[in-house]
Amino acid sequence: MELTNEQRRCLGLLEVEPYWERVDMGKGNILYFNGDVIRKWIIDREGHSEEHTYWVKASPEKTKLLPKTKRGKEKKFTLANLQRMGSEGVYFSFHGHLLIGSITNQRTLYSSHMAGLSPMSDEEFAVFLKRWVEETDDVQMAKVKEFAGGTRKHCKYNEGDFFRFAIDRTHYGYGRILLDVIKRRNLGEKHWDILMGKPLIVKVYHIVTTDPDVTPRILESYPACPAQYIMDNCVYYGDYEIVGNLPVREEQEEYPVMYGQSIDARNPDKIILQIGSSYREIPLSGNRVVPGISRNNGIGFSLNVDKRILEECIAAGSNAPYWERDAAYARSDIRNPKNHLILKEVLGQFGVEQGT
């Protein structure tokens, strides 16, 4: 299903001009040319649709892709080489779930996964798109245009910051940065080098609202889902907007628990336990790694909650729905109530009392 220009306009995508040349490359791949410049690559297969914007020159006979800079070299005209040259602007991707994002500003306009929707068939997606267009009033169109025209930001953040994120077109969620791993590394806490990239520890509050201005003092009173590691990209590029700051009281927070044999190739013969800024280790010799859970040192780029999970936690007045869902990381997290005996054994191994 190739998008119409009306749908593109409502999704923030570059529209196809009537004078562009449409070239079917086979296997569901379609290119649009403005003269010798490739402007669109559309993938249209059953259960799989994508649309990306390009600005890449091709040779007159369409056998070569020309370099974007003087230092670059010509490449053979293949879709793999086109992909390597990079797209720009807003893109659209549907693989059961819909994602509308921007290469230019590294932000996301909409994620059906975050909106808590189940995977859609092609037919269901067609209905979804029809409704999306119908619901794109002046207010929504202004949001779409702001997103599509936005430049890339580099936002500063601190421990204790509260942030707002879009759940769907009208609802927001709120979270908080509890710990900045890079800051802790710079303070000399060397044990943080077992995590890659620029991780943060964040938590998400039990709130789904149309109010974009909930204050930190109000948010602080809400319960929250279990804290998680996350790369800083969404905060750094402004997808999660900072709305205020209050000091973090570490003794009141429930941090992720990282436990297992050290992955440090320089010193693997030890067992580690890390809870927030608290770090302990014991020698591997004479001790065993308690089985049944993951090490919990994986990091994603997005939050591991969605609208459905948040609403279920709010209705239950607890995190039971979070722990009971069919997700491997929830089942193997040592904080899951189902793993309370494992947690007790792990803490006992390090001489730590539960709740300290």
Side-chain angles (χ1 to χ4, degrees):
M1 180 185 63
E2 190 173 333
L3 298 175
T4 66
N5 270 350
E6 182 183 26
Q7 290 168 335
R8 291 187 178 101
R9 186 163 50 252
C10 294
L11 294 169
L13 292 160
L14 181 70
E15 295 179 47
V16 171
E17 299 293 344
Y19 54 85
W20 288 0
E21 178 189 5
R22 184 182 187 276
V23 178
D24 191 336
M25 303 294 290
K27 298 183 178 179
N29 295 286
I30 298 163
L31 298 182
Y32 275 93
F33 286 80
N34 180 9
D36 60 354
V37 178
I38 300 169
R39 298 299 281 123
K40 285 276 187 184
W41 179 4
I42 296 169
I43 299 172
D44 184 19
R45 307 183 191 119
E46 184 177 354
H48 177 187
S49 298
E50 294 183 34
E51 184 165 319
H52 301 269
T53 297
Y54 281 82
W55 205 102
V56 175
K57 277 191 173 184
S59 61
E61 65 280 5
K62 293 184 173 62
T63 59
K64 300 287 185 182
L65 297 174
L66 305 184
K68 290 185 175 182
T69 64
K70 292 181 179 180
R71 286 187 168 186
K73 296 181 180 179
E74 291 184 354
K75 299 179 184 293
K76 184 179 179 180
F77 194 139
T78 67
L79 293 177
N81 282 335
L82 176 61
Q83 185 178 38
R84 293 187 187 101
M85 296 184 76
S87 61
E88 61 182 36
V90 179
Y91 66 89
F92 147 93
S93 175
F94 171 70
H95 301 257
H97 280 289
L98 169 65
L99 179 65
I100 308 166
S102 171
I103 296 295
T104 300
N105 58 41
Q106 291 294 294
R107 290 169 53 203
T108 299
L109 176 65
Y110 181 84
S111 162
S112 66
H113 188 277
M114 175 57 77
L117 302 185
S118 300
M120 293 177 277
S121 66
D122 286 355
E123 293 74 18
E124 290 169 329
F125 182 54
V127 173
F128 176 92
L129 273 181
K130 183 176 183 295
R131 187 170 65 250
W132 179 283
V133 172
E134 292 171 347
E135 293 176 352
T136 304
D137 55 15
D138 290 344
V139 173
Q140 290 299 331
M141 183 57 76
K143 290 182 180 180
V144 170
K145 289 182 177 179
E146 184 277 329
F147 165 77
T151 57
R152 186 173 298 189
K153 301 177 183 178
H154 291 165
C155 303
K156 295 182 179 180
Y157 55 82
N158 295 288
E159 293 179 353
D161 280 348
F162 293 79
F163 59 86
R164 177 184 63 238
F165 60 94
I167 289 179
D168 56 24
R169 302 192 81 181
T170 58
H171 291 89
Y172 300 96
Y174 288 85
R176 191 181 190 191
I177 299 172
L178 300 180
L179 192 146
D180 178 355
V181 170
I182 297 300
K183 175 183 177 180
R184 298 308 179 107
R185 287 179 189 166
N186 293 338
L187 289 173
E189 297 180 11
K190 297 181 180 179
H191 49 273
W192 284 113
D193 60 8
I194 59 178
L195 289 169
M196 305 298 290
K198 296 182 177 180
L200 303 172
I201 295 180
V202 304
K203 68 177 182 180
V204 176
Y205 292 99
H206 288 189
I207 180 173
V208 175
T209 178
T210 57
D211 184 355
D213 298 310
V214 183
T215 65
R217 287 295 182 191
I218 293 175
L219 291 170
E220 199 177 29
S221 65
Y222 278 84
C225 292
Q228 66 171 103
Y229 297 111
I230 186 175
M231 292 293 189
D232 78 337
N233 297 53
C234 288
V235 178
Y236 182 66
Y237 292 118
D239 223 8
Y240 301 167
E241 298 180 86
I242 304 301
V243 296
N245 182 284
L246 291 172
V248 176
R249 290 172 284 186
E250 289 197 30
E251 70 280 358
Q252 295 184 2
E253 301 296 344
E254 183 182 352
Y255 291 91
V257 179
M258 189 188 305
Y259 168 81
Q261 183 177 353
S262 171
I263 61 171
D264 187 345
R266 300 161 298 181
N267 189 9
D269 298 325
K270 60 184 179 183
I271 301 174
I272 66 164
L273 174 68
Q274 182 146 11
I275 307 174
S277 59
S278 174
Y279 174 85
R280 293 174 172 83
E281 61 181 55
I282 57 176
L284 183 61
S285 177
N287 295 291
R288 75 178 188 112
V289 176
V290 178
I293 56 167
S294 67
R295 184 182 283 109
N296 196 24
N297 65 329
I299 307 170
F301 286 93
S302 57
L303 300 169
N304 64 12
V305 296
D306 56 37
K307 186 179 183 181
R308 180 179 60 82
I309 288 296
L310 287 174
E311 289 179 336
E312 289 178 0
C313 287
I314 293 167
S318 74
N319 282 324
Y322 175 96
W323 293 122
E324 291 168 0
R325 60 180 162 170
D326 186 24
Y329 59 80
R331 293 194 302 269
S332 62
D333 192 316
I334 197 171
R335 296 171 297 173
N336 190 322
K338 295 179 180 178
N339 296 325
H340 70 280
L341 293 178
I342 299 175
L343 177 60
K344 183 178 180 180
E345 183 176 355
V346 166
L347 295 179
Q349 190 177 45
F350 284 84
V352 178
E353 291 187 19
Q354 197 159 352
T356 63

